[in-house]
Amino acid sequence: MKLEHARRKGRPLTLVALASAAVFALAACTSGPDSAQTSDNSTKVSATETPTTVTIPDSPVGKQISWLLSAFNTSAPLPQEEIAEHFGPTAPVVLTPPDFESIRAGQPWTTVNYKGGDTDGTVSITSTTGGAFDINVVVDGSGLVLGMAITPTKDDHVPAASWKELEAAVKALPAPTNLTVTEVTGGKNAEVFGVGDTSPQPTGSTIELYVLGAVATAVQNGTLSWDQKLTITDDLKSMPGGTMQDLPSGTEVTVRETAGKMISISDNTATDMLIAAVGREQVEAEFAPMGMADPSLNIPLKPTRALFQLGWGNDGAQRIAWRDGTPDERRAILAALPGGLVDIPASAFTTPAWPFDIDWFASPADLRAALVSLQEMAKTESGAPVRDILAEDPALGDESAKWFTYGGFKGGSSIGVLAGAYYVEHDDRAWVVTMQTHGDDAALVADPALYFDPVDDAMLLIQKDATS
């Protein structure tokens, strides 16, 4: 399951659910006497007041970021009517302290960096009195804000100078975390670095690696093709993240495009469409061949919409039944879940569901084997698109993106869960880097940068070793 595609310094992280301890309504964020009057006597914030050293594009997400920045740079109240024009009906506003109102108090803000596409963008802002923040915004198919994450910019991070320093940094993180680096050049499986518990962990939407493998196998077997059209239906629509849930039911999308959305932005609806296309049993059958040591942890396979329904629907009423159920009982629970659109309020996403086995589970070794298996599939004619799909969003820092000649990535998260799995190459050498963390208290993993900075450090140490 996934909710947002959050970026920091160009590094994407797939957030499965509301991966923050704080959810606020913008309706409460009003202050100051200044306003621009409209004909209906409501107030509107001008989108032209933000000092900037960079250009915000006129894309769907760029328009919303421009509006947001203008809101930060005025004391004008924000009436509910205006907010409704910008935010989708299920959109959370995910903030970390200091909150929205204290950010406004730091005006004037200047934009100093922007990265993004049409639906996902991250802007960096700075103020002489307010500090510096990175703001990630994701919009839906209608151009409305689907999710927003505001985190303090951490330019003071000093990369670990050695593997020993990196080990100490990982051990000091708020939540228990594992980080592994393995060279996989030419079929080898040589551990370069490892710290933390390497038993199976909740791993969020990184389970989609196996869905992609099942799709590639189905194409190889001739039961599916990359250009085959899949149809979006209400029964397959999941909750955000992603954009496909906003397309009208009846819309047709190719398998290739759907797989790309699943991997690059962790589109929940895309995932469930592909599971339906190949069959849940086919994905389950892919676990062992792709190297998962204990497939029973993920059988029966949950579609993403089921994860929302089981974890947070009806105030989590089915959590205990799922946790204590046998595989057959769990299949019955899945079969009894209601069809149609899934509608769970943002306020429900507060408590982790993974302690009730409501997530997907894999070890670092499982994730490593899955990535290597997918690269092998990509060497075949039928599986060739797999390599490009994994590389659509490689999640590398700027320096690493220049050095590595290929990068493939899948990340995942949920309440209290973060994970990332990378396959990177430099010329004829290849490595897999995995990171997983989880906690009973969602606040322990509310700042993804804490956990992905060590990943970036590991990438830099790989380069240092390879060039020394």
Side-chain angles (χ1 to χ4, degrees):
M1 136 190 173
K2 327 90 196 160
L3 170 70
E4 306 159 32
H5 197 54
R7 296 173 183 268
R8 179 179 169 276
K9 298 180 181 176
R11 303 189 298 275
L13 167 67
T14 305
L15 298 183
V16 173
L18 303 177
S20 172
V23 179
F24 298 84
L26 270 179
C29 299
T30 60
S31 67
D34 299 331
S35 65
Q37 294 294 323
T38 65
S39 58
D40 60 358
N41 294 321
S42 64
T43 57
K44 279 207 175 283
V45 174
S46 168
T48 61
E49 303 170 358
T50 305
T52 180
T53 60
V54 298
T55 300
I56 306 299
D58 191 32
S59 61
V61 72
K63 291 177 180 178
Q64 297 296 359
I65 286 177
S66 293
W67 168 79
L68 180 65
L69 293 175
S70 68
F72 284 154
N73 271 331
T74 180
S75 56
L78 295 179
Q80 185 61 48
E81 294 81 4
E82 180 175 354
I83 295 167
E85 293 178 4
H86 295 273
F87 285 80
T90 62
V93 181
V94 184
L95 307 175
T96 55
D99 63 18
F100 184 90
E101 201 56 39
S102 65
I103 294 176
R104 296 184 86 189
Q107 60 183 269
W109 292 92
T110 300
T111 62
V112 294
N113 191 38
Y114 177 84
K115 291 185 179 181
D118 287 338
T119 61
D120 182 338
T122 295
V123 64
S124 299
I125 62 174
T126 185
S127 160
T128 56
T129 60
F133 291 90
D134 296 325
I135 307 169
N136 172 249
V137 176
V138 181
V139 299
D140 61 22
S142 300
L144 298 176
V145 175
L146 176 65
M148 182 173 73
I150 304 177
T151 55
T153 300
K154 293 180 178 161
D155 290 331
D156 58 347
H157 174 68
V158 178
S162 67
W163 294 110
K164 185 176 181 179
E165 283 189 18
L166 182 58
E167 179 180 2
V170 172
K171 289 181 176 179
L173 290 169
T177 303
N178 69 54
L179 178 62
T180 70
V181 179
T182 307
E183 184 170 2
V184 294
T185 304
K188 70 167 61 172
N189 191 27
E191 181 178 288
V192 176
F193 173 81
V195 60
D197 181 5
T198 57
S199 63
Q201 313 278 327
T203 198
S205 57
T206 52
I207 197 70
E208 291 164 351
L209 294 171
Y210 301 93
V211 178
L212 181 60
V215 170
T217 297
V219 173
Q220 183 180 39
N221 293 340
T223 58
L224 202 65
S225 66
W226 292 109
D227 58 1
Q228 182 175 327
K229 296 289 185 66
L230 304 178
T231 302
I232 298 175
T233 68
D234 284 355
D235 288 339
L236 291 176
K237 285 187 177 182
S238 187
M239 293 189 70
T243 59
M244 293 181 69
Q245 75 281 347
D246 298 310
L247 297 176
S249 289
T251 300
E252 293 185 333
V253 188
T254 66
V255 169
R256 171 62 180 83
E257 182 180 353
T258 305
K261 293 281 189 181
M262 176 181 71
I263 297 298
S264 65
I265 63 171
S266 275
D267 193 300
N268 290 327
T269 297
T271 303
D272 289 357
M273 289 172 63
L274 292 172
I275 292 174
V278 300
R280 187 178 70 199
E281 294 79 7
Q282 180 57 50
V283 181
E284 294 172 353
E286 209 68 37
F287 292 150
M290 289 181 65
M292 183 179 288
D294 187 1
S296 68
L297 296 174
N298 297 296
I299 296 176
L301 176 72
K302 297 173 290 294
T304 70
R305 55 180 282 132
L307 201 69
F308 284 107
Q309 292 170 313
L310 295 171
W312 296 277
N314 297 320
D315 296 322
Q318 299 200 73
R319 288 183 170 201
I320 292 176
W322 181 267
R323 182 196 64 192
D324 297 341
T326 65
D328 285 343
E329 289 170 339
R330 289 183 175 186
R331 289 187 182 92
I333 291 172
L334 291 176
L337 291 175
L341 298 177
V342 180
D343 185 14
I344 300 172
S347 58
F349 296 93
T350 57
T351 308
W354 68 262
F356 298 86
D357 283 351
I358 302 176
D359 203 284
W360 301 279
F361 298 83
S363 69
D366 293 337
L367 298 177
R368 178 169 63 250
L371 284 170
V372 171
S373 178
L374 287 169
Q375 292 297 326
E376 289 300 312
M377 293 180 186
K379 294 177 181 178
T380 67
E381 182 178 356
S382 62
V386 167
R387 186 169 169 88
D388 289 339
I389 289 170
L390 287 169
E392 285 189 18
D393 206 343
L396 295 172
D398 293 340
E399 184 174 341
S400 292
K402 295 176 183 177
W403 189 82
F404 288 109
T405 53
Y406 173 85
F409 169 76
K410 187 72 198 79
S413 71
S414 182
I415 299 291
V417 176
L418 289 173
Y422 304 72
Y423 182 98
V424 292
E425 296 174 350
H426 179 73
D427 296 336
D428 60 349
R429 298 181 68 181
W431 298 263
V432 170
V433 179
T434 70
M435 185 282 297
Q436 294 171 277
T437 188
H438 62 281
D440 292 325
D441 182 352
L444 290 175
V445 293
D447 185 355
L450 287 176
Y451 305 93
F452 282 88
D453 276 341
V455 172
D456 286 348
D457 293 358
M459 296 293 183
L460 295 175
L461 289 171
I462 289 173
Q463 299 169 50
K464 180 179 178 181
D465 284 356
T467 57
S468 62

